[in-house]
Each structure stands twice: as structure tokens, then as C-alpha cells.
Amino acid sequence: MKLRTQNHRGRSTKLLLLLLAIAILCDICIAESSDGDTHIKEGLDSVVWVVQLSDLHFSVHHPNRALDFAEFVGPALSVINPSLVLITGDLTDGKSKDLLTMKQNENEWVEYRSVLDTVIGRSGLDKSLFFDLRGNHDSFGVPFVGCPSDFFSKYSISGQLGRNGRVNSVTVETKERKHLFVGFDSTMSTGLRGPTNLFGHPTDQLLKDLDLKLSEWDSQSEKPVTKISFGHFPLSFSAPSISGRTLEDVFLKHSISAYLCGHLHTGFGVNLKRHHQLSGHFSPLQKKIQFNIHQRSFESTVNCSMGDTPIQDFWEWEMGDWRKSRAFRILAIDRGHVSYVDIDFKSGTKPAIILPTFPLDSRFMITSSCRHNYECKPVLPSSYEKIRALVFSVAPVASVVARIYDSKSGNLDLVLETHMIRHADENTTGDLYLAPWNYKAFEDASPDRYWLQIEANDSAGRSTLTELRPFSINGLSLKLSWSWKEFMVMGCQWAALYYPIFWSALYFFFLFLLFPKALLVFPKKRYTYKNFIVNKGLVNGVLWLLQELCRINTLWFGWIAYLFYLILSPWFMGQVFNEGENMVYMTYMGWAIENSNGEGKLEYVGSPDIIVVVLPHLLYVVLPAILVTGALTAERAIFREHVLAFLEKKKDDLRMDSRKTVLNDHHSSIVSNVHLCKRWIRKLLCVVCLAICWKHFMNCRTLLKAYEMNPVLHFLGYGISVPFLLANAIIKTRNAG
């Protein structure tokens, strides 16, 4: 294999000749090219495999993360011997013990460098094969790259090796094809503290560089090229550039095979995969929301007419996290077929790892080109005639068996069991096992009729089984659905949804308050409790509730003023960087930071990242607070009607001329009794008010610690407005009058 990296180094002729001589003696050739260094290794002609790790979150408060990494990863890499090791962000945690303060901690970075040096030493791999990237945790509070708190540039492998660009690429070349890996850092150039540092922010320049790197071999290579990109953020958590261009646009243009990422962690689900495809028929909503893993099913028929090409598409594979799940991924490219296996080290070392490379899993690995190539191009027997799998074992492998099951009957019936033979290659760096089969016998219109499982037994008598994987030899894809949590984090383009949701919520609140007031003032149409009793209905009930709120002017004007405050004024001020004492303010558009060009102009940074502050406040604090305020005023109206009805009944029973004094004496006691015994709804609403205030104060506590605010100087308007309005509502609705 040839490994091409994009790091330009100058070497003298004498040094180059010396290195070449040493390399020849070791069966490794190192040569200079215009693209950078080229490393040539002997290995399998058809298969390349790499390892991906993500979200390590090394923390001074959780030392086991680094200890386990040093214990398990180094030995695993020495057995697997990958071509590359990709570490896709969040190398350190950058959080305080209570998880509320988020900024860089140099001790964590020193530990990261030390642990990685240990792992590299134990793996036997060259340091240049490791590529690590920034994640959002690695940029918490870092105002610019190269500042004193930018520990990534000092302690990361990429920083130590001088990979200073936002985009880096490496090419692994075999005799049959090239494999281009392009990694990029899309963290925000002005790194805010968390929690408002959550999204990737690719710039137009980054997208241009990424486009250039992915097209590197388009006009230079006679061999086919498989393209893989890797970064930290899923595309659902990546904002468009200023021009509106997205990472998805670039990936579809180049029809990459897969995009590898992290960020989300396994807690959101195990099916954090997404299939993207190019289509001019998607509605604006479909471009913002994807409801299933597949955006749409592949066509039932394939058009093989002259010039017809497969749909441009690619897979996005989020891998989980080392932080809690101890996740570890091996990805292989076998004759252009891309597959992977995810394992974890929560239970310790694995005696063996098996990665089937063909046939592909029909749930997560089939692309439109698989169907198109099978139907429209001459089938190359070398690509289909064998079941293929990589086996990495600590002990010598005694046997490998492939089994295929047929699920047509509703059960898994064994239809093929065959021994796999190790690929005969004296120079192999891993174990590729093959088993001949009649692939045409497994053609079927169903993508999940046939299931593959491979078992490996080692010399110590230990057995390792893969999970059952459905496959479709003719390239059909099995359509799967996400769980609701998986849909929320993978299917929604939050950068595109933030402003529509924000303004929809504000419009709803204004409509909620202004429409009943307009009915009350202009047509003078009044909705009362008596009217509601006579003409019951949802509309009458809602309008009556809201008009009761409108009748208490201090409450109504208070909420209108607060909504305008959220739109027109800063919400609060805070310290968003590790360095300096300057406090900056946040609005619904982001944090107002001075422009980096020194002109003193303000630019808003951190949108849509502030979605984690803005939308929970609107949906979980403001909305229920307005509703409970209306409910309190409605309960007051009901109470008033009950009191009046009770008094009218008493008046009918008493003689006005002889019992007037008694009636006056009983009036206050009647009201008091009804107030104490019948207003249990009000008591319940007061409890709801307390719950809303508790939720609000917990949010405020998080922000106070995260951005080192003074609650009086920097937080007063945002902090006390909602509790003040709720307290005012409780006071104003206390009496029936």
C-alpha cells in the first residue's frame, strides 16, 4: 500500500538517498513527491482498513477514561495493524466536576499527549498514521487558534506534526485502487465556552479547501478512487457557511462513500446513521427534516440506458463515544466496498474481532451505486464470487466459518455453512478470510431475506461470533426507522430549523395575547365564563381564558413587554473565553463579539449554538408561564361567578328588611369559606408556578456558572422577569373582586 500525506517537507538530496537506502533494507520505501511524502508498504492488494475513535473526553475528574484507553487501545492496534488511526474530536472534556463550567484544562491535555505516546509505542505504529481533530470540547473558551489557551495546537498529534490547516488528507494506495481520506476541523473559529458551543461552523474557505482535496485524484489517477471524509460534527449539527453552502453539498458533489463523525454519543441510540442522496424533488421541509435513516427508497427499477449514472449519495456514520461506551470502530474498504464494525471495551479486551467485508449489510452500507453496478455493469467474478471477512485475533486462528440463514419462512433457516480459507499472502498485515459461494443463488427482491453470520475459533478454544447481518447481493437497501431520540439528533437540520422555530414561537405568543385583546376592544365581543357554560367548545374556552388575562392590564402589558424584551434587548452578559475579563452580551442572534479585524464592530457568534438556551427558555418556561397566567385569571373568574351565585341564593332566602345585618355579617365568611374549600384548582396552579420557577432558576444557575456572571449586574432582566410576572399573577388573582 502507498500512504500519501499532505504535509510538505523539504529534504536535501543526501538525506533522501539515505532514507531510501534504509527503507529498502526494511522492505519499506519512502519517496518525495509534489503532493508530500509517499510511504509504500507491502500488504493486501485489495483491502485497506482503518480505526476510528471519537469523543475520548479525557478528564481530570474521570481518570478511568485515559487509563482504559492506554490499557486497551494500544494492544488492540498492535493486533489490527491499521493503515490509519482517526480520532474524530473531543479529545479532552474541559468541564468542571459539576459539569457547569466549560473551559480548557491544560492538565487534561498533558494527560492526552502522554497517553497517546504510550498507545503509539505499544501499537508499534508510526506516529504519522494517527490523525486527531478538534471537537467542540477542544475549543471551549479558545478565542482564536494559536492563543495561549489553544492546547490542541500544542499537545495533539496533528499539532506536534505540523498539520496546521483546517483540512488534511491522506491517500492509501494499493495495486488496484486509491483510498482518499480527508479530515477537516469545522469547530467555530471563535471558540465559545459551552453550552453555546455545540455546532460545526464550516466556512466558505473550508468548503473550498475540502472540495479541492476531494478532487485531488479526479484527473490524475488511472485507478478507481474511494473517498472517505471524517470530522467531528454530524451534518445535523453543522451550520451552513455564510454563502449558504453546506458540507452535504460538497460530499454529494464528489459522491464520497462515507462521512465518519462523532459528537452525539451512544446515549442517543445505536442507529446514528444516515443516508444522504441528491435530488431536485425534495421539498424545503424534506431538506430540513429526514424522518428515516434513508431519505427515500431506491428506485424499484434501474435505468441502464447510455450515460445513465447512479444517484449521487453517501452514508453518514456516527460512531458513539469512548467517554462512557468505550466505543471502537474498524472500517474496511474491500475492492471499493466500504464496511465497518463497532465494538466496545466496556467488558475488557476482545480475543478476536471479525469484520465481514462482503456481502455488505443491507441496513447501513448499501448505496445506489451497488444496485446500479450490479444491474448495469458486467459482474466481475472477483468482486462477488467469495464471502470475505477480516479476522483480527490475539491467538492464532484455528477456523473461520460463514453461515447464511434464510428468513422467508419466518424463522432463520440455515441454508449455507462453509469454511473460510485464509488469504494466501506472505506479506499480509492482517487476516483476510475467503469462502467461495454461488452468489446468484442469493438474489432476491427482499433486502433482508438472507442473513450472514461468521464465527471464528482460536487455538485457545475461544469462539467469536458476529451479529447477524442482512444482505442483498443485488444491491437492495433495507429501509429502517429511527427511534424518536435518534430522529431528533440525526434527522433534524437544527441550523436550518432554529430561526423558523424561534419566530414561530414568538408569533404564537403574540397571537395568543393580541387576538383576544383585539376582540375585546374593537368588535367588543366578550367571552365570559357564563357564555362558555352555555356554548361549550374549545375555541370559546380558549378565548374566554385569554380574555380574562387581557382584562388584568398589568399582567397583559407585562407579558407583551417581556416578549419585546426577548427580541430587542440583550438577554444577559457573560465571560465566553478562557482569557480576558471582557463581558459580552447574548441576544437571540448570538453573542456580540468585537470583529477580529480590529475595527471595533460587533459580530454575532454562536448561532445556532444558542438554540440550547433560547428554545428551552421559550418552550419550557415562557409558554407554560403564559398559559398558567391565563389559567389563574380564568380560575379567578370562575371563583367570582361562584361567589356571586352563592350570594344571590342567600338573598332570595333572607328577608332583606329584617336580615340585612346578618347577610352583611355572613358575606365575608361565605367568600372565605368558598376561597378556602373550593379553590383547589388555584392551589394546583400555584404549584405549577413553583415548578416553572424552579426550572427557570436551574437554567439560570447553569448559565451563571458557565459564563461567570454576576446575577445582579449581568442577569437581572432575564433572571427575575418570569418569576416576577408569575408572582404578580398569583397576587392579582387572589381575590374575586
Side-chain angles (χ1 to χ4, degrees):
M1 293 181 289
K2 298 178 186 178
L3 184 63
R4 299 179 182 266
T5 63
Q6 308 308 310
N7 301 317
H8 297 270
R9 306 178 200 166
R11 289 195 181 98
S12 67
T13 304
K14 291 182 179 180
L15 179 60
L16 178 59
L17 292 173
L18 177 62
L19 290 173
L20 284 170
I22 296 172
I24 289 170
L25 293 175
C26 302
D27 286 336
I28 299 177
C29 235
I30 306 178
E32 184 83 4
S33 73
S34 60
D35 299 317
D37 295 335
T38 300
H39 303 261
I40 303 173
K41 291 184 180 180
E42 294 297 331
L44 293 175
D45 294 340
S46 60
V47 188
V48 165
W49 59 92
V50 303
V51 163
Q52 182 192 0
L53 294 144
S54 193
D55 296 84
L56 313 185
H57 289 272
F58 287 178
S59 170
V60 294
H61 308 295
H62 301 278
N64 285 340
R65 297 172 189 172
L67 292 174
D68 288 350
F69 195 88
E71 180 181 356
F72 299 130
V73 174
L77 292 177
S78 68
V79 173
I80 297 167
N81 196 17
S83 298
L84 299 170
V85 179
L86 314 175
I87 309 177
T88 51
D90 281 358
L91 313 179
T92 63
D93 199 40
K95 284 189 176 183
S96 60
K97 193 171 184 178
D98 61 8
L99 306 180
L100 298 180
T101 304
M102 306 178 202
K103 57 184 180 180
Q104 299 305 298
N105 186 322
E106 189 169 9
N107 292 329
E108 294 175 349
W109 284 101
V110 171
E111 181 179 51
Y112 173 78
R113 181 178 64 180
S114 174
V115 169
L116 263 291
D117 287 343
T118 300
V119 167
I120 292 169
R122 297 185 69 181
S123 70
L125 299 174
D126 191 271
K127 195 171 190 176
S128 64
L129 303 182
F130 287 73
F131 284 74
D132 51 8
L133 300 172
R134 278 186 183 87
N136 56 311
H137 283 249
D138 307 318
S139 65
F140 281 161
V142 180
F144 58 90
V145 173
C147 71
S149 60
D150 176 24
F151 299 126
F152 177 91
S153 296
K154 181 178 180 180
Y155 294 106
S156 69
I157 294 173
S158 294
Q160 294 173 54
L161 296 180
R163 298 175 186 142
N164 300 319
R166 285 273 182 168
V167 182
N168 290 282
S169 67
V170 56
T171 300
V172 181
E173 183 174 350
T174 66
K175 293 179 181 179
E176 296 183 358
R177 66 171 50 236
K178 287 184 171 73
H179 308 82
L180 176 63
F181 294 84
V182 181
F184 61 91
D185 171 12
S186 63
T187 56
M188 56 175 61
S189 55
T190 304
L192 304 174
R193 289 188 186 184
T196 56
N197 183 342
L198 188 64
F199 283 72
H201 292 262
T203 62
D204 283 310
Q205 184 60 49
L206 183 144
L207 295 177
K208 180 181 178 181
D209 294 341
L210 182 62
D211 192 355
L212 186 64
K213 292 292 186 184
L214 287 171
S215 60
E216 178 179 349
W217 297 111
D218 288 356
S219 59
Q220 302 179 32
S221 178
E222 296 179 356
K223 298 178 181 179
V225 181
T226 299
K227 301 176 182 180
I228 304 289
S229 189
F230 58 98
H232 178 65
F233 299 95
L235 299 189
S236 55
F237 281 81
S238 294
S241 67
I242 293 176
S243 67
R245 201 176 181 204
T246 65
L247 289 167
E248 184 184 43
D249 296 336
V250 178
F251 294 156
L252 287 171
K253 174 185 175 182
H254 293 278
S255 286
I256 68 171
S257 295
Y259 169 55
L260 313 178
C261 60
H263 188 54
L264 292 180
H265 300 198
T266 313
F268 286 106
V270 296
N271 291 326
L272 300 179
K273 288 85 181 174
R274 181 179 175 186
H275 180 254
H276 300 257
Q277 65 187 80
L278 182 65
S279 175
H281 305 293
F282 292 145
S283 67
L285 179 62
Q286 287 176 307
K287 293 179 180 179
K288 293 180 176 67
I289 298 176
Q290 182 173 318
F291 293 99
N292 296 299
I293 291 177
H294 292 85
Q295 199 155 13
R296 67 178 187 182
S297 300
F298 297 152
E299 299 296 333
S300 57
T301 60
V302 176
N303 183 3
C304 296
S305 61
M306 186 67 66
D308 183 61
T309 58
I311 298 171
Q312 292 174 288
D313 62 348
F314 69 92
W315 274 101
E316 177 184 0
W317 293 327
E318 204 274 355
M319 75 154 292
D321 61 285
W322 180 266
R323 176 178 174 263
K324 284 187 177 180
S325 303
R326 302 296 190 263
F328 184 97
R329 170 177 288 169
I330 307 173
L331 178 136
I333 307 172
D334 187 356
R335 302 173 188 264
H337 298 298
V338 185
S339 56
Y340 68 89
V341 63
D342 288 340
I343 61 172
D344 67 71
F345 288 103
K346 287 190 292 187
S347 57
T349 305
K350 304 293 180 184
I353 303 170
I354 306 171
L355 170 52
T357 62
F358 188 81
L360 297 176
D361 190 327
S362 60
R363 297 169 299 180
F364 307 121
M365 302 174 190
I366 297 290
T367 62
S368 61
S369 61
C370 296
R371 178 81 185 278
H372 186 273
N373 292 342
Y374 190 82
E375 297 285 349
C376 302
K377 294 183 179 181
V379 174
L380 297 176
S382 59
S383 299
Y384 290 88
E385 66 184 3
K386 291 182 176 68
I387 301 172
R388 304 164 67 87
L390 287 166
V391 181
F392 308 101
S393 178
V394 175
V397 176
S399 66
V400 180
V401 178
R403 299 184 181 92
I404 295 179
Y405 298 88
D406 187 348
S407 64
K408 186 176 182 180
S409 65
N411 300 312
L412 291 176
D413 302 317
L414 182 64
V415 294
L416 176 66
E417 183 174 31
T418 180
H419 284 272
M420 303 184 74
I421 308 300
R422 186 174 181 271
H423 184 266
D425 189 333
E426 294 179 357
N427 297 313
T428 183
T429 57
D431 288 341
L432 176 65
Y433 282 80
L434 312 173
W437 67 328
N438 179 16
Y439 66 89
K440 287 188 173 294
F442 297 97
E443 290 182 349
D444 196 82
S446 172
D448 62 343
R449 175 177 174 179
Y450 295 108
W451 295 69
L452 173 68
Q453 187 174 52
I454 296 176
E455 179 182 10
N457 297 284
D458 65 18
S459 58
R462 293 172 295 192
S463 176
T464 301
L465 280 168
T466 65
E467 67 166 354
L468 283 161
R469 292 186 173 197
F471 68 89
S472 173
I473 196 66
N474 40 323
L476 297 173
S477 184
L478 176 61
K479 192 172 183 179
L480 294 179
S481 297
W482 283 308
S483 68
W484 72 269
K485 285 199 297 184
E486 292 167 343
F487 161 72
M488 291 295 289
V489 295
M490 287 296 290
C492 298
Q493 294 297 129
W494 288 109
L497 291 171
Y498 168 56
Y499 279 118
I501 295 175
F502 173 79
W503 286 113
S504 296
L506 264 296
Y507 290 150
F508 175 76
F509 295 156
F510 278 114
L511 181 67
F512 208 68
L513 295 170
L514 293 174
F515 181 67
K517 188 73 169 180
L519 290 178
L520 193 64
V521 173
F522 296 109
K524 295 185 178 180
K525 187 171 184 179
R526 297 179 178 272
Y527 291 86
T528 63
Y529 176 63
K530 287 184 177 179
N531 294 338
F532 174 68
I533 294 299
V534 175
N535 298 308
K536 291 182 179 179
L538 179 63
V539 174
N540 286 337
V542 171
L543 290 174
W544 157 61
L545 182 147
L546 295 176
Q547 280 199 350
E548 290 296 337
L549 172 58
C550 296
R551 291 188 180 99
I552 304 179
N553 288 328
T554 54
L555 291 180
W556 186 83
F557 281 110
W559 280 114
I560 291 292
Y562 183 66
L563 295 180
F564 276 109
Y565 161 79
L566 293 179
I567 297 172
L568 302 176
S569 301
W571 288 28
F572 43 75
M573 298 180 69
Q575 175 66 45
V576 295
F577 300 126
N578 285 16
E579 304 159 5
E581 300 299 328
N582 293 332
M583 305 292 283
V584 298
Y585 64 83
M586 194 203 87
T587 73
Y588 74 91
M589 295 182 289
W591 293 91
I593 310 279
E594 275 195 24
N595 198 303
S596 57
N597 59 20
E599 296 178 357
K601 294 182 179 179
L602 296 179
E603 61 179 351
Y604 289 100
V605 176
S607 177
D609 306 74
I610 56 170
I611 192 174
V612 297
V613 174
V614 174
L615 292 191
H617 181 66
L618 292 181
L619 301 180
Y620 303 139
V621 176
V622 177
L623 175 60
I626 292 176
L627 292 175
V628 78
T629 301
L632 282 168
T633 58
E635 187 277 338
R636 172 177 172 267
I638 296 173
F639 173 60
R640 183 174 60 246
E641 292 295 333
H642 279 240
V643 170
L644 292 175
F646 191 83
L647 291 176
E648 287 296 326
K649 185 175 183 299
K650 283 296 181 182
K651 286 181 180 179
D652 291 341
D653 293 340
L654 299 175
R655 294 178 181 175
M656 299 300 296
D657 53 347
S658 62
R659 303 289 301 272
K660 180 182 291 187
T661 304
V662 177
L663 180 61
N664 289 335
D665 292 339
H666 279 74
H667 181 275
S668 60
S669 62
I670 292 169
V671 174
S672 178
N673 289 336
V674 175
H675 178 75
L676 292 175
C677 301
K678 302 296 184 180
R679 300 195 73 180
W680 58 269
I681 295 179
R682 173 182 168 81
K683 297 174 185 177
L684 179 62
L685 292 174
C686 290
V687 172
V688 174
C689 290
L690 290 175
I692 294 170
C693 290
W694 178 85
K695 170 67 176 173
H696 179 58
F697 283 129
M698 291 301 293
N699 293 343
C700 292
R701 173 178 173 267
T702 299
L703 294 171
L704 284 170
K705 295 208 69 175
Y707 300 111
E708 301 179 18
M709 303 174 184
N710 183 309
V712 177
L713 298 179
H714 308 134
F715 209 69
L716 193 60
Y718 175 84
I720 69 168
S721 296
V722 171
F724 175 79
L725 289 168
L726 288 175
N728 191 31
I730 292 173
I731 294 171
K732 292 291 184 180
T733 59
R734 180 177 54 186
N735 299 319

